[in-house]
């Protein structure tokens, strides 16, 4: 008999069914576009960050030229900041304090959202004129170059402040190392030698390192920082004294200068690469400006930065809005009353080697039923009881923007009260469904339906009803039959799987007590 649908759900949240969580950014009904992948990232909000050596501030500017601002860093002891890196997992930005004349010896951190900060313990590792930072997310370690010529070295510490240690660099040049970039795929760290005038690398496992062949490019004279273009397999650097933006091929075949007509370099102090937009950005330490150029050699320009502080800008990094790469999944345990749970989906990773970050730091959720948003259902799970198609929309965000993606539909069905056939020791189990699909039976003590005997719902249900009922025959297996003949009763556990024509299968379990007279 057709069963009309009714609104029968409650969401998981601290204020009950009528509550609205502030974290959710989408509310109300009818707000969800039911699609496997939703909107693209808000690219207009992508940002560049840098430290201001002379003003002891960290600033940012939007890459679309709409201006910028200063990051609130209360609690962070900033003194001559040079070098930044982001830990997307904690939404923290880390930096090195070089200090006036290289006097400072601290690594600081601040919230990317502003308002808090502190000092990172360096675990006994050498820290002497730190000039740049880089984070290896695979090991949770932060690295920095000690840039004074007499103590030139690479040090590291875990992000929890423990395990400070030097990195063995083998035959790599260490002559006033400045600016570092980690290539997770090659498991290497790269740096520019301001006094040694070469680009060098070391293996992160401590097995040594070497120098990069830069023949063909303008001879290095005071290089400041490096960044990698993984697509072209090149390492870029800015040259402080020649004002050249140059690259070297990572295969050792030499390099060249990048044409940057339209941009005005003036002691470029660090570079960062956007391998997606095919651009390179750098800070001009002397003229207090930000420049960029196209990686195809078609020239560049100056970036408008109104509202941002610029006074001795150094060692920039990029923060892009998140990029969705895989829709969230909705799951539900078979046990009765289990909630639907929504994963965060998958997102494009940070481009660590390019000094570009884009992973989400926060997630917001919104559930829908049969294509309409459920008011107040904005947690990562929902207790849903009504038959229907449920989807979860996830918004991943960071200070540069957000992106949205939506799960495939998950068809929720409902098991009714069993009708026992005492004459045969079987039962009929009513199952309410919304859409055509397949039903199968398995479980402990019951006969499992073979694949060629899976029950089917042939064709659509009547237009005026939103749910229909199918009765499944539950038959005892041999062991349960023996128990029935012996005692007249047998306990079984039935697992019903519903696979809709379009959507994600779900499973529900029910314990039954079969009887035989």
């Amino acid at each position: 008999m057709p069963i009309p649908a009714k609104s029968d759900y409650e969401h998981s949240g601290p204020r009950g069914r009528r509550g609205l969580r502030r974290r959710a950014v989408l509310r109300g009904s009818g707000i969800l576009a039911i699609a496997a992948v939703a909107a693209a990232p808000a690219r207009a909000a992508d940002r560049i960050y840098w430290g201001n050596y002379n003003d002891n501030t960290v600033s940012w500017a939007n890459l679309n030229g709409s201006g910028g601002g200063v990051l609130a860093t209360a609690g962070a002891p900033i003194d001559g900041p040079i070098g930044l890196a982001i830990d997307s997992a904690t939404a923290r930005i880390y930096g090195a304090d070089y200090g006036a004349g290289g006097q400072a010896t601290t690594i600081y951190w601040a919230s990317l959202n502003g308002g808090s900060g502190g000092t990172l313990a360096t675990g006994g590792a050498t820290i002497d004129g730190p000039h740049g930072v880089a984070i290896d997310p695979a090991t949770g370690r932060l690295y920095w170059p000690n840039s004074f010529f007499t103590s030139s070295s690479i040090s590291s510490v875990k992000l929890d402040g423990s395990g400070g240690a030097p990195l063995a660099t083998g035959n790599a040049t260490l002559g006033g190392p400045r600016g570092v970039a980690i290539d997770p795929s090659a498991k290497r760290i790269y740096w520019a030698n301001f006094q040694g005038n070469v680009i060098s690398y070391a293996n992160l496992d401590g097995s040594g390192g070497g120098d990069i062949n830069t023949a063909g490019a303008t001879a290095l004279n005071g290089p400041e920082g490096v960044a990698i273009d993984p697509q072209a397999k090149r390492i870029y650097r800015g040259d402080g004294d020649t004002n050249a933006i140059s690259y070297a091929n990572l295969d050792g075949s030499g390099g060249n200068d990048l044409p940057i007509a339209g941009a005005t370099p003036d002691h470029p102090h660090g570079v960062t690469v956007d391998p997606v937009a095919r651009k390179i950005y750098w800070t001009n330490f002397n003229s207090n400006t930000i420049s960029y150029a196209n990686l195809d050699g078609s020239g560049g320009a100056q970036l408008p930065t109104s509202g941002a502080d610029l006074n001795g800008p150094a060692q920039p990094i990029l923060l892009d809005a998140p990029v969705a790469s895989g829709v969230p999944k909705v799951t539900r345990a078979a046990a009765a009353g289990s909630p639907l749970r929504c994963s965060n989906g998958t997102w494009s990773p940070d481009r660590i080697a390019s000094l570009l970050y884009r992973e989400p730091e926060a997630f917001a959720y919104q559930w829908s039923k049969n294509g309409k948003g459920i008011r107040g259902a904005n947690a990562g799970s929902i207790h849903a009881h009504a038959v229907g198609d449920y989807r979860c929309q996830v918004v991943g965000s960071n200070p540069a923007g957000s992106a949205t993606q939506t799960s495939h539909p998950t068809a929720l069905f409902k098991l009714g009260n069993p009708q026992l056939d005492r004459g045969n020791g079987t039962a009929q189990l009513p199952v309410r469904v919304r859409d055509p699909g397949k039903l199968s039976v398995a479980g402990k003590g019951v006969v499992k339906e073979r694949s060629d005997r899976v029950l089917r719902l042939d064709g659509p249900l009547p237009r005026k009803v939103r749910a229909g009922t199918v009765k499944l025959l539950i038959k005892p297996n041999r062991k349960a039959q023996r128990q029935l003949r012996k005692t007249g009763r047998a306990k079984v556990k039935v697992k019903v799987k519903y696979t809709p024509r379009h959507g994600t299968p779900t499973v529900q379990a029910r314990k039954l007590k079969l009887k035989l007279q």
Side-chain angles (χ1 to χ4, degrees), residues 13-33:
R15 297 175 58 187
R17 179 171 175 173
R18 301 177 65 86
L20 291 175
R21 293 172 63 107
R22 292 184 178 181
R23 188 182 181 194
V25 297
L26 301 173
R27 297 183 173 88
S29 61
I31 60 174
L32 297 181

Side-chain angles (χ1 to χ4, degrees), residues 39-369:
R43 300 289 300 179
D46 296 347
R47 295 178 173 183
I48 184 170
Y49 285 76
W50 65 90
N52 291 292
Y53 177 76
N54 295 325
D55 281 353
N56 298 328
T57 58
V58 175
S59 296
W60 57 269
N62 293 323
L63 299 184
N64 65 358
S66 60
V70 177
L71 180 68
T73 56
I78 300 180
D79 182 10
I82 293 183
L84 297 170
I86 291 174
D87 178 25
S88 296
T90 59
R92 286 182 173 183
I93 190 168
Y94 287 82
D97 277 335
Y98 186 76
Q103 302 294 320
T105 56
T106 56
I107 304 296
Y108 66 87
W109 64 268
S111 169
L112 264 179
N113 294 300
S116 64
T119 301
L120 177 68
T122 51
T126 298
I127 179 167
D128 192 6
H131 207 287
V133 290
I135 294 173
D136 178 11
T139 60
R141 297 191 74 88
L142 181 143
Y143 292 78
W144 66 89
N146 297 298
S147 64
F148 287 159
F149 191 75
T150 55
S151 61
S152 293
S153 59
I154 306 295
S155 297
S156 74
V157 70
K158 291 184 179 179
L159 289 175
D160 63 7
S162 66
L167 177 67
T169 55
N171 296 323
T173 297
L174 283 164
R178 295 190 175 188
V180 285
I182 286 175
D183 184 350
S185 61
K187 297 182 180 179
R188 286 180 172 180
I189 185 170
Y190 296 82
W191 64 89
N193 291 286
F194 182 77
Q195 290 155 313
N197 291 323
V198 295
I199 305 300
S200 303
Y201 71 89
N203 299 318
L204 294 176
D205 63 4
S207 59
D211 298 335
I212 300 293
N213 177 18
T214 59
T218 296
L220 282 81
N221 191 4
E224 301 264 15
V226 294
I228 292 173
D229 175 9
Q231 181 173 321
K233 297 182 179 180
R234 294 173 172 175
I235 185 166
Y236 282 84
R237 94 273 181 166
D239 210 62
D241 290 338
T242 65
N243 287 330
I245 302 298
S246 305
Y247 67 85
N249 298 313
L250 291 175
D251 62 5
S253 60
N256 208 335
D257 295 337
L258 179 70
I260 56 173
T264 308
D266 188 0
H267 194 107
H269 199 299
V271 294
T272 178
V273 170
D274 186 337
V276 178
R278 307 304 298 156
K279 294 181 183 295
I280 185 171
Y281 295 81
W282 64 90
T283 48
N284 296 300
F285 190 85
N286 288 345
S287 62
N288 296 321
T289 57
I290 308 293
S291 300
Y292 69 90
N294 299 314
L295 293 178
D296 63 4
S298 59
Q302 303 297 96
L303 180 70
T305 57
S306 60
D309 182 24
L310 277 157
N311 194 353
Q315 301 291 337
I317 61 173
L318 295 173
L319 178 67
D320 281 3
V323 177
S325 60
V327 299
K329 294 182 179 180
V330 175
T331 57
R332 186 187 199 189
S338 297
L340 295 174
R341 299 187 182 278
C342 184
S343 75
N344 290 332
T346 56
W347 303 82
S348 296
D350 295 334
R351 296 291 186 95
I352 303 295
S354 304
L355 309 186
L356 181 148
Y357 304 86
R358 58 183 178 180
E359 293 183 9
E361 61 151 307
F363 298 94
Y365 310 90
Q366 177 63 55
W367 291 86
S368 71
K369 174 177 172 284

Side-chain angles (χ1 to χ4, degrees), residues 354-430:
S354 304
L355 309 186
L356 181 148
Y357 304 86
R358 58 183 178 180
E359 293 183 9
E361 61 151 307
F363 298 94
Y365 310 90
Q366 177 63 55
W367 291 86
S368 71
K369 174 177 172 284
N370 300 335
K372 293 184 178 181
I374 302 172
R375 182 175 177 82
N378 44 36
S381 63
I382 181 174
H383 285 280
H385 306 299
V387 173
D389 291 336
Y390 290 81
R391 297 185 190 228
C392 177
Q393 187 182 75
V394 177
V395 179
S397 63
N398 63 29
S402 63
T404 302
Q405 51 185 345
T406 304
S407 71
H408 298 294
T410 295
L412 188 63
F413 64 101
K414 193 168 186 177
L415 300 179
N417 295 322
Q419 300 170 1
L420 300 181
D421 184 346
R422 298 172 183 264
N424 295 310
T426 61
Q428 285 190 334
L429 183 63

